[in-house]
Amino acid sequence: MAVDPLIELRDVNKHFGPLHVLRDISLTVGRGEVVVVIGPSGSGKSTLCRAINRLETVESGTILIDGEPLPDEGKDLARLRAEVGMVFQSFNLFAHRTVLANVSLAQVKVLGREKREADRRSRQLLDRVGLADQADKFPAQLSGGQQQRVAIARALAMDPKVMLFDEPTSALDPEMINEVLEVMQQLAQEGMTMVVVTHEMGFARSAAHRVVFMADGAIVEDRTPEEFFTAPESDRAKDFLSKILKH
């Protein structure tokens, strides 16, 4: 059990029609912990990730962030979403706003920062993700890898307690994947609490404290990367690893 739990899921269930996509999910993520969620397509990984900041509602069970249950809607939910940064497959940047404005907007609107202060913070974060010189460009002028790094900077600008990554590199060309993973690796080293759904096993191996393996909507294994990759216990995990580690 994590010493200082930041995210707790207890007996969480979710259906899409007849499909039981989350089955009695219980998971605790401690402060400063990096948990990587892997598993075959359709195993419920993204739904789990999206349930943590209530982009998906759940039918039963409890989800706590920093000891508080997820609010239903309204201002409290907006505040929670500010505390839980999210980075998706698609970058979801505002096409008609500059990179700087993309990173500053929610700071002004949600956190109530002065624009000048928000822009200063945004420039710091763009520097941190290696894009200080791109602040005045528009998203369409950037590569996919650069856009995803802007999306990470935008999430960090809210000073979140935790960062959720839902397959952040799966829409990228292979040569851009590493530039995004490097930023994530750096965040992990700096002690950011992270839940990462990914197919990048190298990242799972090197950055995760724990690997959570899901299949058919359930958590099948929850172990250290070392244990999981060298000696998976379940047949599902063995099968999954034999398929992906051949490539």
Side-chain angles (χ1 to χ4, degrees):
M1 191 68 181
V3 192
D4 186 5
L6 188 53
I7 300 173
E8 293 174 85
L9 286 82
R10 299 179 191 153
D11 305 321
V12 168
N13 282 278
K14 166 84 178 171
H15 288 78
F16 288 128
L19 207 63
H20 198 169
V21 284
L22 295 178
R23 299 171 183 262
D24 295 321
I25 296 285
S26 292
L27 176 69
T28 300
V29 180
R31 205 175 297 275
E33 205 172 17
V34 177
V35 173
V36 171
V37 184
I38 62 174
S41 292
S43 57
K45 310 181 297 287
S46 288
T47 308
L48 170 72
C49 195
R50 293 167 68 87
I52 294 173
N53 75 346
R54 220 171 176 285
L55 283 173
E56 295 285 359
T57 53
V58 299
E59 282 135 35
S60 64
T62 313
I63 301 178
L64 303 170
I65 305 280
D66 214 356
E68 289 184 33
L70 288 192
D72 285 345
E73 51 202 68
K75 283 205 167 115
D76 290 340
L77 186 59
R79 192 181 48 108
L80 169 94
R81 293 226 173 108
E83 292 180 350
V84 180
M86 181 115 191
V87 178
F88 302 89
Q89 288 182 21
S90 54
F91 324 120
N92 297 349
L93 299 174
F94 296 112
H96 59 289
R97 291 180 184 267
T98 63
V99 163
L100 184 68
N102 264 285
V103 181
S104 293
L105 188 66
Q107 297 178 63
V108 176
K109 289 256 200 280
V110 180
L111 301 182
R113 282 184 187 152
E114 292 288 325
K115 185 177 180 305
R116 188 186 312 172
E117 169 62 19
D119 284 350
R120 192 181 64 80
R121 176 84 176 118
S122 297
R123 286 184 191 282
Q124 279 176 345
L125 288 165
L126 287 169
D127 186 41
R128 185 169 166 189
V129 299
L131 294 171
D133 53 347
Q134 307 290 323
D136 300 323
K137 289 192 174 168
F138 288 88
Q141 296 171 285
L142 304 183
S143 70
Q146 289 172 320
Q147 290 187 56
Q148 192 59 294
R149 285 185 283 152
V150 172
I152 293 173
R154 179 180 58 181
L156 289 173
M158 306 303 283
D159 301 322
K161 292 177 177 174
V162 57
M163 288 280 282
L164 308 176
F165 293 87
D166 185 9
E167 301 199 12
T169 57
S170 63
L172 299 178
D173 293 335
E175 71 271 18
M176 293 172 194
I177 289 175
N178 278 346
E179 66 192 58
V180 173
L181 292 178
E182 274 167 26
V183 170
M184 291 167 61
Q185 196 104 24
Q186 190 187 336
L187 284 177
Q189 284 161 359
E190 290 166 8
M192 174 61 79
T193 309
M194 293 163 66
V195 176
V196 183
V197 174
T198 187
H199 295 290
E200 298 298 324
M201 295 303 134
F203 177 82
R205 251 191 179 146
S206 61
H209 294 102
R210 283 158 55 205
V211 170
V212 168
F213 174 74
M214 289 183 72
D216 303 323
I219 292 177
V220 181
E221 300 201 23
D222 178 352
R223 306 168 68 210
T224 67
E226 180 62 23
E227 291 169 336
F228 179 77
F229 285 109
T230 52
E233 284 173 344
S234 62
D235 290 339
R236 289 301 305 261
K238 286 173 189 162
D239 182 49
F240 176 77
L241 286 171
S242 72
K243 285 180 180 139
I244 54 161
L245 298 177
K246 276 180 189 149
H247 298 307

